Amino acid sequence: MQPSFGTFRTMRVHQSSPSTLLRRDAIAQCRYCGERMEYFDRYDHGRIPMVPKALPSDRFPVQMRWHILRGIALPGDGGESYCYVPHPAFCAAVEHPESSRELTEVRALFRLRFEKRIKQGFIPVLRPSDEDEVAEQHVEPVEGLRHVIAYASALWLAPGKVEDIQCVARAWRTGERCLNAVSHDEGEWTEIEIPYTPGRAGQEVLWAGSTMWVYALHTLYPDEFRRWMHQHCTQHTGGTSKDDALPPQWVRFRPLVHDDFILRERPAQVELPSLANIGIARLALEPERTECATPDCHNGSVAKVLEGWLCYKCERARKHRERVHRQWVKPDN
């Protein structure tokens, strides 16, 4: 007997959507509390699990409100009366800070459902350290040395050393995970200050003025960096998550949690420029500076200018005086 047409469902990502996450694959169960949650691609290339229902915006503080635009989660309610709220903010397995009475009541409701679920046989995994760990539970555990990637103002903990990051897409011929590397030496190593961590825990860490080495990808175009975030090689550029053997293994870098991966010493493969390559020009004295010819004007130029040179302000004032003078001087008969 032939199955009816309704047995099959065809799903695709709309061509105008920046997201590659199919909604069928976005529903998951929190392994910490057992609640259903729905994943969305974030505006900054990450993923965020939401309570799978739009809720009235006025019930939640501004920092908890999110809206969905073309499949992408953006902060704020977008001017609408309903919004999405992140699941980690209400996960019963997390110890949340003190909040408003209304939020406390909602979290208490999630807690009662959590306890009831345990009595019915649900076995949660170990308690998460914070809300970020709940949000990143879709990432497969990674062991070994891991480098930190920098792009714009965001820092990401890579699934390994830069040169060892492996594509997560499924190979077309074998059906197994692709063996190609993601990196093609697009970035460069740079030294930055260790990010400040707010709160009491951050104040107890003596990191003031300390630096760390990160692999910077600031020169990449957004589409190229999106390939890195999808953890795809150049052969699988533009592929969707349904083609992947496992989800991307990036997690947001958190100094306190990822202290073991902070690279405080310069990587061995990074060579400092020699004095011969720096050039004589960088060691030269300050270039000669020519000051404006107008008395009491302290503007100047290091470029080669003619004698009697005027800065742009004084030049503009001189032309204005000449125009006014021509208006009042009568032409000779």
Side-chain angles (χ1 to χ4, degrees), residues 115-140:
E115 295 174 352
K116 181 180 178 180
R117 199 173 291 113
I118 291 179
K119 293 179 180 179
Q120 294 175 347
F122 173 72
I123 302 177
V125 299
L126 296 176
R127 180 183 291 273
S129 58
D130 52 20
E131 294 183 7
D132 289 330
E133 189 172 344
V134 176
E136 295 166 348
Q137 61 184 279
H138 66 285
V139 179
E140 296 288 338

PDB file of all heavy atoms in Angstrom, residues 115-140:
ATOM      1  N   GLU A 115      10.741  18.982  39.975  1.00  0.00           N
ATOM      2  CA  GLU A 115      10.649  17.986  41.044  1.00  0.00           C
ATOM      3  C   GLU A 115       9.636  16.898  40.698  1.00  0.00           C
ATOM      4  O   GLU A 115       9.858  15.709  40.981  1.00  0.00           O
ATOM      5  CB  GLU A 115      10.270  18.680  42.358  1.00  0.00           C
ATOM      6  CG  GLU A 115      11.348  19.640  42.861  1.00  0.00           C
ATOM      7  CD  GLU A 115      10.900  20.425  44.073  1.00  0.00           C
ATOM      8  OE1 GLU A 115       9.695  20.335  44.429  1.00  0.00           O
ATOM      9  OE2 GLU A 115      11.737  21.143  44.673  1.00  0.00           O
ATOM     10  N   LYS A 116       8.533  17.286  40.070  1.00  0.00           N
ATOM     11  CA  LYS A 116       7.544  16.294  39.651  1.00  0.00           C
ATOM     12  C   LYS A 116       8.116  15.371  38.589  1.00  0.00           C
ATOM     13  O   LYS A 116       7.862  14.159  38.596  1.00  0.00           O
ATOM     14  CB  LYS A 116       6.297  17.015  39.128  1.00  0.00           C
ATOM     15  CG  LYS A 116       5.190  16.076  38.681  1.00  0.00           C
ATOM     16  CD  LYS A 116       3.990  16.859  38.181  1.00  0.00           C
ATOM     17  CE  LYS A 116       2.888  15.918  37.692  1.00  0.00           C
ATOM     18  NZ  LYS A 116       1.703  16.678  37.191  1.00  0.00           N
ATOM     19  N   ARG A 117       8.916  15.931  37.691  1.00  0.00           N
ATOM     20  CA  ARG A 117       9.518  15.132  36.617  1.00  0.00           C
ATOM     21  C   ARG A 117      10.507  14.110  37.201  1.00  0.00           C
ATOM     22  O   ARG A 117      10.606  12.974  36.702  1.00  0.00           O
ATOM     23  CB  ARG A 117      10.203  16.077  35.628  1.00  0.00           C
ATOM     24  CG  ARG A 117      10.474  15.451  34.270  1.00  0.00           C
ATOM     25  CD  ARG A 117      10.992  16.494  33.298  1.00  0.00           C
ATOM     26  NE  ARG A 117       9.965  17.455  32.951  1.00  0.00           N
ATOM     27  CZ  ARG A 117       9.987  18.737  33.289  1.00  0.00           C
ATOM     28  NH1 ARG A 117      10.998  19.214  33.997  1.00  0.00           N
ATOM     29  NH2 ARG A 117       9.013  19.542  32.935  1.00  0.00           N
ATOM     30  N   ILE A 118      11.229  14.503  38.258  1.00  0.00           N
ATOM     31  CA  ILE A 118      12.166  13.575  38.900  1.00  0.00           C
ATOM     32  C   ILE A 118      11.423  12.425  39.554  1.00  0.00           C
ATOM     33  O   ILE A 118      11.834  11.256  39.477  1.00  0.00           O
ATOM     34  CB  ILE A 118      13.039  14.330  39.930  1.00  0.00           C
ATOM     35  CG1 ILE A 118      13.992  15.289  39.212  1.00  0.00           C
ATOM     36  CG2 ILE A 118      13.828  13.348  40.792  1.00  0.00           C
ATOM     37  CD1 ILE A 118      14.871  16.095  40.144  1.00  0.00           C
ATOM     38  N   LYS A 119      10.297  12.725  40.195  1.00  0.00           N
ATOM     39  CA  LYS A 119       9.499  11.677  40.827  1.00  0.00           C
ATOM     40  C   LYS A 119       8.953  10.692  39.801  1.00  0.00           C
ATOM     41  O   LYS A 119       8.721   9.514  40.111  1.00  0.00           O
ATOM     42  CB  LYS A 119       8.347  12.301  41.609  1.00  0.00           C
ATOM     43  CG  LYS A 119       8.792  13.110  42.822  1.00  0.00           C
ATOM     44  CD  LYS A 119       7.619  13.718  43.538  1.00  0.00           C
ATOM     45  CE  LYS A 119       8.076  14.535  44.749  1.00  0.00           C
ATOM     46  NZ  LYS A 119       6.916  15.170  45.457  1.00  0.00           N
ATOM     47  N   GLN A 120       8.762  11.175  38.566  1.00  0.00           N
ATOM     48  CA  GLN A 120       8.245  10.313  37.502  1.00  0.00           C
ATOM     49  C   GLN A 120       9.343   9.506  36.814  1.00  0.00           C
ATOM     50  O   GLN A 120       9.054   8.736  35.903  1.00  0.00           O
ATOM     51  CB  GLN A 120       7.496  11.158  36.478  1.00  0.00           C
ATOM     52  CG  GLN A 120       6.221  11.803  37.024  1.00  0.00           C
ATOM     53  CD  GLN A 120       5.570  12.738  36.030  1.00  0.00           C
ATOM     54  OE1 GLN A 120       6.177  13.097  35.011  1.00  0.00           O
ATOM     55  NE2 GLN A 120       4.333  13.140  36.309  1.00  0.00           N
ATOM     56  N   GLY A 121      10.616   9.704  37.221  1.00  0.00           N
ATOM     57  CA  GLY A 121      11.695   8.890  36.678  1.00  0.00           C
ATOM     58  C   GLY A 121      12.749   9.641  35.899  1.00  0.00           C
ATOM     59  O   GLY A 121      13.710   9.020  35.417  1.00  0.00           O
ATOM     60  N   PHE A 122      12.616  10.960  35.753  1.00  0.00           N
ATOM     61  CA  PHE A 122      13.621  11.719  35.015  1.00  0.00           C
ATOM     62  C   PHE A 122      14.918  11.766  35.813  1.00  0.00           C
ATOM     63  O   PHE A 122      14.912  12.047  37.021  1.00  0.00           O
ATOM     64  CB  PHE A 122      13.118  13.140  34.745  1.00  0.00           C
ATOM     65  CG  PHE A 122      14.152  14.048  34.140  1.00  0.00           C
ATOM     66  CD1 PHE A 122      14.563  13.887  32.829  1.00  0.00           C
ATOM     67  CD2 PHE A 122      14.737  15.064  34.901  1.00  0.00           C
ATOM     68  CE1 PHE A 122      15.523  14.722  32.265  1.00  0.00           C
ATOM     69  CE2 PHE A 122      15.686  15.904  34.359  1.00  0.00           C
ATOM     70  CZ  PHE A 122      16.076  15.734  33.036  1.00  0.00           C
ATOM     71  N   ILE A 123      16.033  11.501  35.167  1.00  0.00           N
ATOM     72  CA  ILE A 123      17.343  11.515  35.821  1.00  0.00           C
ATOM     73  C   ILE A 123      18.163  12.648  35.205  1.00  0.00           C
ATOM     74  O   ILE A 123      18.662  12.527  34.076  1.00  0.00           O
ATOM     75  CB  ILE A 123      18.075  10.180  35.651  1.00  0.00           C
ATOM     76  CG1 ILE A 123      17.227   9.031  36.217  1.00  0.00           C
ATOM     77  CG2 ILE A 123      19.436  10.226  36.336  1.00  0.00           C
ATOM     78  CD1 ILE A 123      17.849   7.676  36.034  1.00  0.00           C
ATOM     79  N   PRO A 124      18.341  13.761  35.914  1.00  0.00           N
ATOM     80  CA  PRO A 124      19.134  14.872  35.346  1.00  0.00           C
ATOM     81  C   PRO A 124      20.621  14.580  35.441  1.00  0.00           C
ATOM     82  O   PRO A 124      21.063  13.757  36.258  1.00  0.00           O
ATOM     83  CB  PRO A 124      18.747  16.057  36.233  1.00  0.00           C
ATOM     84  CG  PRO A 124      18.380  15.440  37.541  1.00  0.00           C
ATOM     85  CD  PRO A 124      17.785  14.089  37.230  1.00  0.00           C
ATOM     86  N   VAL A 125      21.397  15.246  34.585  1.00  0.00           N
ATOM     87  CA  VAL A 125      22.855  15.149  34.671  1.00  0.00           C
ATOM     88  C   VAL A 125      23.331  16.055  35.804  1.00  0.00           C
ATOM     89  O   VAL A 125      22.537  16.696  36.484  1.00  0.00           O
ATOM     90  CB  VAL A 125      23.508  15.538  33.333  1.00  0.00           C
ATOM     91  CG1 VAL A 125      23.057  14.607  32.224  1.00  0.00           C
ATOM     92  CG2 VAL A 125      23.170  16.977  32.970  1.00  0.00           C
ATOM     93  N   LEU A 126      24.628  16.111  36.002  1.00  0.00           N
ATOM     94  CA  LEU A 126      25.167  16.920  37.083  1.00  0.00           C
ATOM     95  C   LEU A 126      24.736  18.374  36.962  1.00  0.00           C
ATOM     96  O   LEU A 126      24.548  18.898  35.864  1.00  0.00           O
ATOM     97  CB  LEU A 126      26.694  16.825  37.092  1.00  0.00           C
ATOM     98  CG  LEU A 126      27.280  15.432  37.394  1.00  0.00           C
ATOM     99  CD1 LEU A 126      28.796  15.477  37.267  1.00  0.00           C
ATOM    100  CD2 LEU A 126      26.862  14.954  38.772  1.00  0.00           C
ATOM    101  N   ARG A 127      24.578  19.021  38.119  1.00  0.00           N
ATOM    102  CA  ARG A 127      24.122  20.414  38.150  1.00  0.00           C
ATOM    103  C   ARG A 127      25.070  21.313  37.361  1.00  0.00           C
ATOM    104  O   ARG A 127      26.283  21.269  37.559  1.00  0.00           O
ATOM    105  CB  ARG A 127      24.014  20.896  39.588  1.00  0.00           C
ATOM    106  CG  ARG A 127      23.543  22.358  39.729  1.00  0.00           C
ATOM    107  CD  ARG A 127      23.546  22.766  41.183  1.00  0.00           C
ATOM    108  NE  ARG A 127      22.511  22.073  41.912  1.00  0.00           N
ATOM    109  CZ  ARG A 127      21.252  22.494  42.015  1.00  0.00           C
ATOM    110  NH1 ARG A 127      20.886  23.622  41.410  1.00  0.00           N
ATOM    111  NH2 ARG A 127      20.373  21.816  42.703  1.00  0.00           N
ATOM    112  N   PRO A 128      24.544  22.169  36.468  1.00  0.00           N
ATOM    113  CA  PRO A 128      25.410  23.079  35.701  1.00  0.00           C
ATOM    114  C   PRO A 128      25.961  24.179  36.586  1.00  0.00           C
ATOM    115  O   PRO A 128      25.378  24.531  37.618  1.00  0.00           O
ATOM    116  CB  PRO A 128      24.468  23.634  34.632  1.00  0.00           C
ATOM    117  CG  PRO A 128      23.112  23.560  35.266  1.00  0.00           C
ATOM    118  CD  PRO A 128      23.125  22.337  36.123  1.00  0.00           C
ATOM    119  N   SER A 129      27.095  24.745  36.168  1.00  0.00           N
ATOM    120  CA  SER A 129      27.732  25.804  36.953  1.00  0.00           C
ATOM    121  C   SER A 129      27.010  27.136  36.809  1.00  0.00           C
ATOM    122  O   SER A 129      26.973  27.929  37.748  1.00  0.00           O
ATOM    123  CB  SER A 129      29.199  25.955  36.536  1.00  0.00           C
ATOM    124  OG  SER A 129      29.289  26.257  35.147  1.00  0.00           O
ATOM    125  N   ASP A 130      26.450  27.409  35.640  1.00  0.00           N
ATOM    126  CA  ASP A 130      25.765  28.677  35.425  1.00  0.00           C
ATOM    127  C   ASP A 130      24.841  28.552  34.214  1.00  0.00           C
ATOM    128  O   ASP A 130      24.707  27.489  33.614  1.00  0.00           O
ATOM    129  CB  ASP A 130      26.766  29.824  35.219  1.00  0.00           C
ATOM    130  CG  ASP A 130      27.792  29.504  34.135  1.00  0.00           C
ATOM    131  OD1 ASP A 130      27.519  28.608  33.302  1.00  0.00           O
ATOM    132  OD2 ASP A 130      28.862  30.142  34.111  1.00  0.00           O
ATOM    133  N   GLU A 131      24.195  29.664  33.857  1.00  0.00           N
ATOM    134  CA  GLU A 131      23.249  29.675  32.740  1.00  0.00           C
ATOM    135  C   GLU A 131      23.951  29.449  31.407  1.00  0.00           C
ATOM    136  O   GLU A 131      23.367  28.871  30.490  1.00  0.00           O
ATOM    137  CB  GLU A 131      22.484  31.004  32.728  1.00  0.00           C
ATOM    138  CG  GLU A 131      21.574  31.211  33.930  1.00  0.00           C
ATOM    139  CD  GLU A 131      20.791  32.507  33.849  1.00  0.00           C
ATOM    140  OE1 GLU A 131      20.859  33.173  32.788  1.00  0.00           O
ATOM    141  OE2 GLU A 131      20.116  32.866  34.826  1.00  0.00           O
ATOM    142  N   ASP A 132      25.200  29.898  31.284  1.00  0.00           N
ATOM    143  CA  ASP A 132      25.933  29.703  30.028  1.00  0.00           C
ATOM    144  C   ASP A 132      26.140  28.224  29.739  1.00  0.00           C
ATOM    145  O   ASP A 132      26.081  27.794  28.581  1.00  0.00           O
ATOM    146  CB  ASP A 132      27.289  30.416  30.084  1.00  0.00           C
ATOM    147  CG  ASP A 132      27.161  31.926  30.031  1.00  0.00           C
ATOM    148  OD1 ASP A 132      26.186  32.389  29.413  1.00  0.00           O
ATOM    149  OD2 ASP A 132      28.009  32.625  30.594  1.00  0.00           O
ATOM    150  N   GLU A 133      26.379  27.440  30.764  1.00  0.00           N
ATOM    151  CA  GLU A 133      26.564  26.004  30.564  1.00  0.00           C
ATOM    152  C   GLU A 133      25.270  25.355  30.099  1.00  0.00           C
ATOM    153  O   GLU A 133      25.286  24.419  29.299  1.00  0.00           O
ATOM    154  CB  GLU A 133      27.056  25.357  31.850  1.00  0.00           C
ATOM    155  CG  GLU A 133      27.481  23.906  31.680  1.00  0.00           C
ATOM    156  CD  GLU A 133      28.138  23.334  32.917  1.00  0.00           C
ATOM    157  OE1 GLU A 133      28.547  24.129  33.797  1.00  0.00           O
ATOM    158  OE2 GLU A 133      28.246  22.097  33.018  1.00  0.00           O
ATOM    159  N   VAL A 134      24.138  25.835  30.575  1.00  0.00           N
ATOM    160  CA  VAL A 134      22.848  25.326  30.111  1.00  0.00           C
ATOM    161  C   VAL A 134      22.639  25.662  28.640  1.00  0.00           C
ATOM    162  O   VAL A 134      22.181  24.835  27.853  1.00  0.00           O
ATOM    163  CB  VAL A 134      21.698  25.909  30.967  1.00  0.00           C
ATOM    164  CG1 VAL A 134      20.341  25.466  30.426  1.00  0.00           C
ATOM    165  CG2 VAL A 134      21.840  25.484  32.416  1.00  0.00           C
ATOM    166  N   ALA A 135      23.007  26.876  28.238  1.00  0.00           N
ATOM    167  CA  ALA A 135      22.820  27.308  26.852  1.00  0.00           C
ATOM    168  C   ALA A 135      23.710  26.542  25.886  1.00  0.00           C
ATOM    169  O   ALA A 135      23.377  26.409  24.704  1.00  0.00           O
ATOM    170  CB  ALA A 135      23.093  28.812  26.726  1.00  0.00           C
ATOM    171  N   GLU A 136      24.842  26.023  26.361  1.00  0.00           N
ATOM    172  CA  GLU A 136      25.808  25.365  25.476  1.00  0.00           C
ATOM    173  C   GLU A 136      25.778  23.847  25.593  1.00  0.00           C
ATOM    174  O   GLU A 136      26.728  23.168  25.205  1.00  0.00           O
ATOM    175  CB  GLU A 136      27.212  25.892  25.793  1.00  0.00           C
ATOM    176  CG  GLU A 136      27.380  27.374  25.474  1.00  0.00           C
ATOM    177  CD  GLU A 136      28.632  27.962  26.084  1.00  0.00           C
ATOM    178  OE1 GLU A 136      29.248  27.281  26.942  1.00  0.00           O
ATOM    179  OE2 GLU A 136      28.985  29.104  25.739  1.00  0.00           O
ATOM    180  N   GLN A 137      24.673  23.298  26.109  1.00  0.00           N
ATOM    181  CA  GLN A 137      24.618  21.860  26.314  1.00  0.00           C
ATOM    182  C   GLN A 137      24.527  21.076  25.013  1.00  0.00           C
ATOM    183  O   GLN A 137      24.753  19.862  25.006  1.00  0.00           O
ATOM    184  CB  GLN A 137      23.420  21.500  27.201  1.00  0.00           C
ATOM    185  CG  GLN A 137      22.064  21.883  26.619  1.00  0.00           C
ATOM    186  CD  GLN A 137      20.934  21.586  27.582  1.00  0.00           C
ATOM    187  OE1 GLN A 137      20.489  20.459  27.679  1.00  0.00           O
ATOM    188  NE2 GLN A 137      20.495  22.599  28.307  1.00  0.00           N
ATOM    189  N   HIS A 138      24.225  21.753  23.900  1.00  0.00           N
ATOM    190  CA  HIS A 138      24.165  21.055  22.612  1.00  0.00           C
ATOM    191  C   HIS A 138      25.552  20.781  22.047  1.00  0.00           C
ATOM    192  O   HIS A 138      25.686  20.036  21.065  1.00  0.00           O
ATOM    193  CB  HIS A 138      23.371  21.887  21.600  1.00  0.00           C
ATOM    194  CG  HIS A 138      24.039  23.181  21.227  1.00  0.00           C
ATOM    195  ND1 HIS A 138      24.065  24.264  22.074  1.00  0.00           N
ATOM    196  CD2 HIS A 138      24.724  23.554  20.122  1.00  0.00           C
ATOM    197  CE1 HIS A 138      24.709  25.254  21.501  1.00  0.00           C
ATOM    198  NE2 HIS A 138      25.130  24.851  20.314  1.00  0.00           N
ATOM    199  N   VAL A 139      26.593  21.363  22.654  1.00  0.00           N
ATOM    200  CA  VAL A 139      27.955  21.208  22.158  1.00  0.00           C
ATOM    201  C   VAL A 139      28.553  19.920  22.715  1.00  0.00           C
ATOM    202  O   VAL A 139      28.473  19.653  23.928  1.00  0.00           O
ATOM    203  CB  VAL A 139      28.824  22.420  22.559  1.00  0.00           C
ATOM    204  CG1 VAL A 139      30.249  22.250  22.058  1.00  0.00           C
ATOM    205  CG2 VAL A 139      28.218  23.705  22.011  1.00  0.00           C
ATOM    206  N   GLU A 140      29.161  19.135  21.841  1.00  0.00           N
ATOM    207  CA  GLU A 140      29.806  17.900  22.278  1.00  0.00           C
ATOM    208  C   GLU A 140      31.035  18.227  23.132  1.00  0.00           C
ATOM    209  O   GLU A 140      31.770  19.167  22.852  1.00  0.00           O
ATOM    210  CB  GLU A 140      30.237  17.067  21.069  1.00  0.00           C
ATOM    211  CG  GLU A 140      29.085  16.569  20.212  1.00  0.00           C
ATOM    212  CD  GLU A 140      28.297  15.471  20.885  1.00  0.00           C
ATOM    213  OE1 GLU A 140      28.865  14.817  21.795  1.00  0.00           O
ATOM    214  OE2 GLU A 140      27.130  15.263  20.525  1.00  0.00           O
TER     215      GLU A 140
END
